[in-house]
Structures are given as structure tokens and as C-alpha cells.
Amino acid sequence: MATSLPLRTASSLPEEPTTPYKQYVYAYPHQKAYRLGTDRPPLSDVWAGERLDALSLYVHVPFCEMRCGFCNLFTRTGAPEEVTGAFLDTLARQARVTREALEANGTPRFTLAAFGGGTPTYLTVDELVRLCDICEQVMGADLEAVPWSVETSPATATADRIALLAERGATRLSIGVQSFVDEEARAAVRPQKRSEVEAALGRLKEAAFPILNIDLIYGIDGQTERSFQVSLDAALSWEPEEIYLYPLYVRPLTGLMARHDTSGELWDAQRLRLYRFGRDHLLSAGYRQTSMRVFSRIGSAAVDGADDHSISEYNQQAGMVGLGVGARSFTTGLHYTTDYAVAVPEVRRIIDEYIATPTEEFRRAQWSFRMDDDERRRMFVLGMLLESGGLPVERYHERFGSLPQEDFPAEFALVTERGWVERDEAVLRLTPEGMAWADAIGPLFFSPRVNEAMATYQDR
């Protein structure tokens, strides 16, 4: 029997998308919907009743050697060793009380891990050793036995760091190249040379990680199909198991905000044209598209080794344990994190406050978003629909007792009318054109509560 949801008013119905590039949806709800809680429940209560046998561990390292012009991530540049060392001291304290909260409800088991940021390889080799030790010895994650991803950059993918990550069992290294064309890198305010990028890729390839991912960006000022192909072919020459194609977004408080023209339809047209060019080029080169951004090489570990515990672009479901300032944790009833900002002074303040946080405060959820049945349905839809596997209707029905088209009739009517979603056997799946508009489709399923919270968030 279907479970009914509250009737929605006309004001809460989705608006017709006018741009393909509305909102990058990698986790729902967006961090801008979180607020500092008034009750701040103990983590032992937050994790009560949750499944603990298939947890994911995410560690956020908020440091980079430089800040790219498009970057709106929570990260600080040029942090000295006294800051990174103090960060690791605090991370160990946070990990200890988090582990205690989990063990109050059973025996936690991690089946997936990731180091993100920022740039985790900004840390020195000794600091990376300590970070791995915290994850293994304090949190209990067996990094040699689970899929484990690390983000890196050309400048920090040094031989000693790469050797350490390989020794500790990392299975996936993702390097942010963005462009192999030096002029485009400068236009994106990313000062790097192609020679440095190629040298870093040579070291990564020699280490023979099961999965090498290369990130590229399209939509940079002056970028054309011809120049984009230079980057695509340069990436393909390394035979990476994955290539991510990111549309350029210019967000408030980022370096590009004051120097990049984001108005009008020309930029949208450029990005959409370059997306289609890049997609077709990678498909013809033997890659399979698994989401708007992700292309996996057919016959590689990125495709053949994929299973329910593989690293997906969309981190949607419960069971995520986050450590580090800026990291998010997901349970069935609550998503929680730390304070968040983009502006440099605010980022530094929040990192300093994290380092100075008394251990007892880590025992409680601070900034959070409480999930209800409606939000869980939306999260499920987004986590499935935006991937190439699609949204299994029966699986949704088994979980929620209703059909997705019944719960979100206006949304599915709109995307079906636009030719973005089709019914393939028992699966609702994005069409090729729908995949191109994924960043507009995702926000259609945001709840009024999330939209209101994001609209009232003060960028800082």
C-alpha cells in the first residue's frame, strides 16, 4: 500500500529549467542547507539503529598548495606544518570519540574509504603515514582490504607520496589536471605547466594503481572543441581507467567571479557544445558513460570491478562517517558536519576553531540537517536517477511503499515531456539528452525546505 505524502502547493512545484547548469548535485541535501543545531544530539544516539556493517569513511583534508580560480571547496592554501600537524592531532581526537559512538551501537565495519579535500597529498609523507594510521588504528578501517580513493594534484603527486599511498593500499588516485593547455590553465587561474602534469602522471602510472582518474574541465574562456580535444587526447594517451569531465562553474567568493562573464546564453551554449564533443570523443575511444561527469574505460577495473561498494559520483545513502573539518556524515535520520565557508578568512577561522575544539564537543552533531521520509525519497531518487543505471522502480517501491512517479508526479511529468527520462523495463533512466541536462534535473527534486535553506544561506 502506497504511503501518501503531503500535498504540495503550486509554489513548490518545479520550475521549467532554463539552463543546463543549475546545480552540481553530488550529495543531497547541499551543505548550504545545514544549520548549527540547537539540540546537538550525541553521536551515540545519532548512530543508534543504523547499519554498521557496510560503512564508508571519508576524511576531509582542507589544505592545498594553491587555490584555483573556480574553486569553492573548503580548503586553505599554504598551511605550515604546525597547522597541518595540529589538524592531525585534532583529527585523531575526533576519530577516537566517533569510534566510541559507533561501538556504543555495535561493531563498525568499513567497506569503502576516501581522502578528499582540498588536496590530501598536500600533507608530507610522514603526515600521510599518520593519517593512514588514524584511519586504521583508531577508526578500524582496513585500508589494504577496501576500495580506497585519494585526490591529488600535479604539484603534490611526488614520488615519495605516491609510493606511500601504494604501500598503504590505495586503489584509486584522482588527479585534478583540468586542462593540458597552459593558456587554458592560466585562464582558470590554475598556474601549472603541462610538463609538470605529464611528469606527475608518469609517476602515477608507474605506481600502477588499479584506477587512475584524470579530471578535466570544459567551459574555460577561449576553450574550443579543438583545444578541448588536445586535453582529451593527452588524457587518453595515459589510458586512465576513469576520466571526469566537469563543466566550469563560477561561484560567489571564488577567484574567477570578478573576471569571468557568466551572463547570457553564450556560455551555456559553449559548455553544452563542449560537453557533447567530449562525451562523443570518449565514447568513441572505448569509454562508458556512467553519469554526466564520469567516463570509465571498458575492460578496466573501473568497470569490471564495480559493485555495490564501488566509489560513485553521488554519495547519497546513509552509512557515511566523515572526519575532519568540512567532512559530512550521513545517517538515516541526520546528516551532520562542521561549519563551512569559501572565503579565505572564514576558512582559516573555521580550521583554527576546529583545531581548538574540545574533545567532548566532537561527541555531538553540530551543523546538521534532519532527514524525514520525504527527504529520504528525494535523496534516493537523486542517487539513482543521475547515474546511468537509473532508478529501479520496484526497489523504490520496496523501500517506500509507493512509486516515484506517484510521489513526484510534476517532476517526472516535466522530465518526461522534455525527453530527459524514459522508462526502460522497470527502470527510469536518463536519456542521452537527459544526461546532458543532469545538473538541471537534479535541482528539480530539491524539497521546498532545502531550497529555502539554500536561498537564505549567507555566502562567506
Side-chain angles (χ1 to χ4, degrees):
M1 180 176 180
T3 302
S4 61
L5 294 176
L7 292 176
R8 289 175 288 169
T9 64
S11 63
S12 69
L13 297 178
E15 294 184 5
E16 186 85 12
T18 58
T19 171
Y21 303 104
K22 171 72 173 176
Q23 173 77 50
Y24 174 21
V25 184
Y26 62 90
Y28 178 81
H30 192 279
Q31 198 156 353
K32 290 183 178 181
Y34 292 45
R35 294 294 184 269
L36 184 60
T38 55
D39 55 343
R40 304 182 192 178
L43 297 190
S44 55
D45 292 348
V46 171
W47 286 96
E50 297 290 317
R51 280 191 59 181
L52 301 178
D53 61 337
L55 297 172
S56 299
L57 177 63
Y58 174 71
V59 182
H60 189 87
V61 180
F63 305 114
C64 287
E65 78 277 8
M66 63 181 178
R67 188 167 192 125
C68 303
F70 51 84
C71 178
N72 70 335
L73 299 177
F74 185 90
T75 188
R76 171 184 171 175
T77 61
E81 286 194 24
E82 55 263 30
V83 172
T84 55
F87 167 79
L88 290 172
D89 290 342
T90 305
L91 189 76
R93 293 190 291 113
Q94 183 188 16
R96 178 172 56 80
V97 298
T98 301
R99 175 78 182 189
E100 290 173 0
L102 294 172
E103 289 185 332
N105 294 285
T107 302
R109 174 176 174 267
F110 292 93
T111 57
L112 188 67
F115 294 173
T119 307
T121 50
Y122 178 84
L123 300 177
T124 66
V125 169
D126 288 343
E127 289 172 332
L128 285 171
V129 168
R130 189 176 179 204
L131 178 60
C132 292
D133 287 346
I134 291 170
C135 293
E136 292 193 323
Q137 298 171 15
V138 181
M139 287 304 297
D142 187 351
L143 296 181
E144 293 187 1
V146 303
W148 171 38
S149 177
V150 184
E151 296 176 11
T152 189
S153 67
T156 62
T158 57
D160 54 350
R161 291 177 173 98
I162 292 171
L164 182 278
L165 294 172
E167 177 186 339
R168 297 302 290 257
T171 57
R172 179 181 180 271
L173 263 288
S174 178
I175 182 168
V177 172
Q178 319 316 349
S179 177
F180 284 85
V181 179
D182 289 349
E183 293 79 9
E184 290 181 359
R186 286 196 297 271
V189 193
R190 184 180 178 86
Q192 67 184 23
K193 299 290 186 182
R194 178 169 176 173
S195 58
E196 298 168 346
V197 172
E198 299 278 3
L201 284 167
R203 294 189 291 270
L204 289 169
K205 195 69 175 178
E206 185 177 356
F209 294 101
I211 298 177
L212 169 63
N213 171 69
I214 298 176
D215 288 345
L216 298 177
I217 281 181
Y218 56 91
I220 301 171
D221 272 347
Q223 192 176 43
T224 65
E225 286 93 332
R226 177 174 294 181
S227 67
F228 192 30
Q229 184 172 345
V230 170
S231 289
L232 291 167
D233 288 341
L236 288 169
S237 70
W238 291 100
E239 298 183 334
E241 285 70 27
E242 290 179 344
I243 296 178
Y244 275 47
L245 301 183
Y246 286 94
L248 178 64
Y249 275 98
V250 176
R251 296 304 194 193
L253 304 179
T254 60
L256 280 182
M257 189 64 190
R259 55 190 291 183
H260 194 287
D261 183 10
T262 62
S263 62
E265 299 178 358
L266 292 179
W267 191 32
D268 278 352
Q270 179 208 21
R271 287 184 286 181
L272 195 55
R273 185 176 67 251
L274 290 171
Y275 160 77
R276 288 173 172 150
F277 178 85
R279 173 198 63 193
D280 294 345
H281 196 71
L282 293 183
L283 293 178
S284 67
Y287 283 71
R288 185 184 78 178
Q289 185 173 17
T290 60
S291 73
M292 176 185 172
R293 290 163 175 75
V294 183
F295 296 82
S296 303
R297 182 159 56 83
I298 296 172
S300 73
V303 173
D304 297 342
D307 57 26
D308 289 340
H309 300 305
S310 62
I311 297 172
S312 167
E313 182 186 2
Y314 301 101
N315 256 333
Q316 298 297 323
Q317 309 308 319
M320 171 73 75
V321 180
L323 295 177
V325 61
R328 287 190 269 181
S329 298
F330 303 155
T331 70
T332 304
L334 192 75
H335 291 190
Y336 64 92
T337 183
T338 65
D339 199 358
Y340 161 81
V342 174
V344 171
E346 284 293 295
V347 170
R348 291 195 174 207
R349 176 188 64 80
I350 293 170
I351 292 174
D352 289 344
E353 289 182 354
Y354 170 79
I355 290 171
T357 298
T359 301
E360 287 305 304
E361 287 193 23
F362 288 126
R363 297 187 185 276
R364 294 180 175 272
Q366 303 292 327
W367 293 74
S368 63
F369 184 92
R370 190 160 293 282
M371 301 293 291
D372 58 22
D373 187 62
D374 177 54
E375 300 292 3
R376 282 189 286 270
R377 292 169 194 248
R378 295 174 185 276
M379 183 177 65
F380 190 93
V381 168
L382 289 167
M384 297 289 180
L385 185 63
L386 299 181
E387 297 272 5
S388 61
L391 172 59
V393 174
E394 185 57 33
R395 185 172 169 186
Y396 182 96
H397 183 269
E398 289 174 358
R399 176 168 294 196
F400 300 110
S402 57
L403 300 177
Q405 307 96 311
E406 295 172 345
D407 292 343
F408 307 104
E411 290 86 346
F412 278 106
L414 192 157
V415 296
T416 302
E417 180 183 349
R418 291 289 294 264
W420 292 341
V421 171
E422 61 185 1
R423 179 77 176 260
D424 179 7
E425 296 180 351
V427 177
L428 293 167
R429 197 185 312 274
L430 293 181
T431 63
E433 186 64 8
M435 193 71 79
W437 282 74
D439 280 7
I441 294 171
L444 292 175
F445 291 90
F446 289 10
S447 71
R449 181 162 68 110
V450 167
N451 283 327
E452 181 181 3
M454 292 179 64
T456 57
Y457 176 85
Q458 184 64 48
D459 288 314
R460 54 195 173 89

